[in-house]
Amino acid sequence: MRRYSGKVRRRTILVLGLVALGVVAAACAPNATQSALEPQGPYAQKGYDLFVPVFWVAAAIFFLVQGLLVFFAIRYRHRKARTDVPPQVHGNTRLEIAWTILPTLILAGVAVPTVATIWDLAREPEGDVLQVTVLAHQWWWEFDYPEQGIITANELHIPTDRPVYLTMCAVGLGYDKQIAPSSCQEQPAAVGDSVIHSFWVPELAGTQDVIPSRTTFLTIQADDPGTYEGQCKEFCGLSHAYMKFTVVAHDPAGFDTWVAGQQAPSAVPTPGGPAEAGVGVFLANCTGCHAIAGLEDANGNPITANGGPDLTHFASRECFAGCMLETTDENLRRWLENPPVVKAGSWMPDYGLSEQEIDQLIAYLNGLE
């Protein structure tokens, strides 16, 4: 029996040690930039200011309760020489009232600032507000600036010291494989399944679910220029882990420069070069989902995006494929050779492009700044 209990004890210690090692390893992960504990804007700061006191109240209660449990477990542990029974308190009205009222008061004290913060964060900002529509696809993010006439993907560009009001919904095919209705846009994209996503950029704001057939809202704001990493926080399919995005904050002048660049017409490739041949490759293979401003179909109609990112200024973006890949020639080649191999469950199929066609398409995309 002693040998068996010793073996159990060693296994328990081993398991606890492995768990502790896992916790330490997770704390050393290189994802430190996604930290809600380092707010970089007023809306993230409000959440942090609520978290800190609630955390310390919870920590104090935890250590008090656990300390009392340990104390009583040791103080009143069973001893062979002990025959008396500790006094029972069952039915003690005063104690029962006390341990009912005290937790109620603590919860009420926590609830008041919590509810106030929720209402504050849910309030639509006033004044000079940037409006952006966020469409969640499987598995990438689309950002539409209605006032500026800009549509981009996976990179949300914002000015500093100015609230940005996000109007968000999920788009794609519903469970009946029909186009899911959405109040975010008149013609929802029909590629990918319409499922729940969650928009989360912890340094700038809390998380907000993005739901099919419903519109949700979130306000973000950055104090300083920089790049802030975000991702989908709600499991949404095979490539959920690769549904990332970045928020790029510019100073006001820099944001105006970015807007002007995005509003400029798409670049026209040099005649006779590989980029011009890439236009033909794009028109032959990519217009079922993607669009580039200025291109027309065989009937002379402007090409519109249908479920895939608008690529008008593709080369100005630092990442693509849900910000899974940096925008480099090598990554573009890997992607165009076989998208589903690079990104599990990708809705973009393998078109069987030749090496020459891939070279031409890369040359064309690289000129779309």
Side-chain angles (χ1 to χ4, degrees):
M1 181 63 71
R2 289 182 178 177
R3 182 179 300 174
Y4 176 76
S5 62
K7 184 181 294 185
V8 171
R9 187 179 297 109
R10 286 194 296 272
R11 288 181 178 177
T12 302
I13 294 173
L14 177 61
V15 170
L16 292 176
L18 290 174
V19 170
L21 180 61
V23 171
V24 172
C28 296
N31 200 23
T33 55
Q34 280 186 283
S35 174
L37 302 180
E38 299 178 1
Q40 301 297 320
Y43 293 92
Q45 187 67 48
K46 291 176 182 179
Y48 179 79
D49 291 341
L50 174 65
F51 166 79
V52 171
V54 172
F55 170 81
W56 286 115
V57 168
I61 294 172
F62 173 82
F63 285 109
L64 176 62
V65 172
Q66 297 303 314
L68 290 174
L69 283 174
V70 172
F71 170 77
F72 285 117
I74 296 174
R75 176 67 177 80
Y76 297 105
R77 69 187 183 279
H78 176 70
R79 298 184 180 89
K80 292 182 179 180
R82 186 168 191 168
T83 58
D84 62 316
V85 177
Q88 302 301 299
V89 295
H90 177 71
N92 189 311
T93 304
R94 291 182 178 179
L95 278 178
E96 291 182 356
I97 291 175
W99 61 49
T100 299
I101 292 179
L102 182 59
T104 302
L105 292 176
I106 293 174
L107 290 176
V110 170
V112 171
T114 299
V115 172
T117 301
I118 291 174
W119 286 346
D120 191 18
L121 292 176
R123 187 181 300 112
E124 183 175 354
E126 299 177 351
D128 186 17
V129 180
L130 176 65
Q131 301 285 341
V132 179
T133 300
V134 178
L135 302 178
H137 300 256
Q138 279 190 315
W139 290 270
W140 61 281
W141 298 91
E142 182 175 1
F143 303 114
D144 180 2
Y145 299 72
E147 297 174 358
Q148 290 77 19
I150 295 171
I151 297 178
T152 185
N154 303 314
E155 292 183 5
L156 175 60
H157 291 253
I158 65 173
T160 55
D161 300 321
R162 181 180 174 187
V164 181
Y165 193 59
L166 307 178
T167 301
M168 306 188 291
C169 62
V171 295
L173 295 176
Y175 293 108
D176 57 358
K177 297 307 176 186
Q178 300 296 316
I179 295 178
S182 167
S183 59
C184 286
Q185 59 176 6
E186 295 178 358
Q187 296 179 342
V191 175
D193 283 332
S194 181
V195 299
I196 297 176
H197 302 274
S198 191
F199 185 94
W200 187 50
V201 52
E203 292 176 287
L204 301 183
T207 183
Q208 175 63 61
D209 282 351
V210 185
I211 305 171
S213 303
R214 288 186 57 187
T215 302
T216 55
F217 305 92
L218 181 69
T219 306
I220 65 173
Q221 183 174 330
D223 291 331
D224 302 306
T227 300
Y228 306 96
E229 296 182 5
Q231 67 183 69
C232 175
K233 199 183 174 185
E234 182 86 18
F235 180 74
C236 54
L238 287 175
S239 281
H240 159 69
Y242 298 113
M243 188 173 173
K244 305 176 183 179
F245 65 94
T246 59
V247 177
V248 183
H250 306 266
D251 59 54
F255 178 72
D256 290 341
T257 300
W258 177 82
V259 168
Q262 295 296 305
Q263 291 174 334
S266 59
V268 178
T270 302
E276 185 181 42
V279 176
V281 177
F282 181 87
L283 291 173
N285 297 277
C286 309
T287 55
C289 296
H290 299 284
I292 294 175
L295 293 186
E296 299 177 344
D297 60 19
N299 298 319
N301 299 316
I303 296 173
T304 58
N306 182 35
D310 185 294
L311 303 179
T312 301
H313 295 285
F314 174 79
S316 69
R317 303 170 191 168
E318 297 293 330
C319 61
F320 68 100
C323 260
M324 175 186 177
L325 301 172
E326 293 184 8
T327 307
T328 65
D329 287 359
E330 180 182 357
N331 287 334
L332 275 172
R333 183 174 301 280
R334 288 176 54 211
W335 178 254
L336 294 173
E337 285 175 349
N338 197 336
V341 169
V342 178
K343 189 172 184 177
S346 170
W347 291 90
M348 179 173 169
D350 177 11
Y351 286 103
L353 300 175
S354 67
E355 289 294 323
Q356 183 181 23
E357 289 174 323
I358 291 176
D359 289 339
Q360 293 168 344
L361 197 50
I362 291 175
Y364 178 47
L365 292 173
N366 281 337
L368 299 176
E369 295 182 347

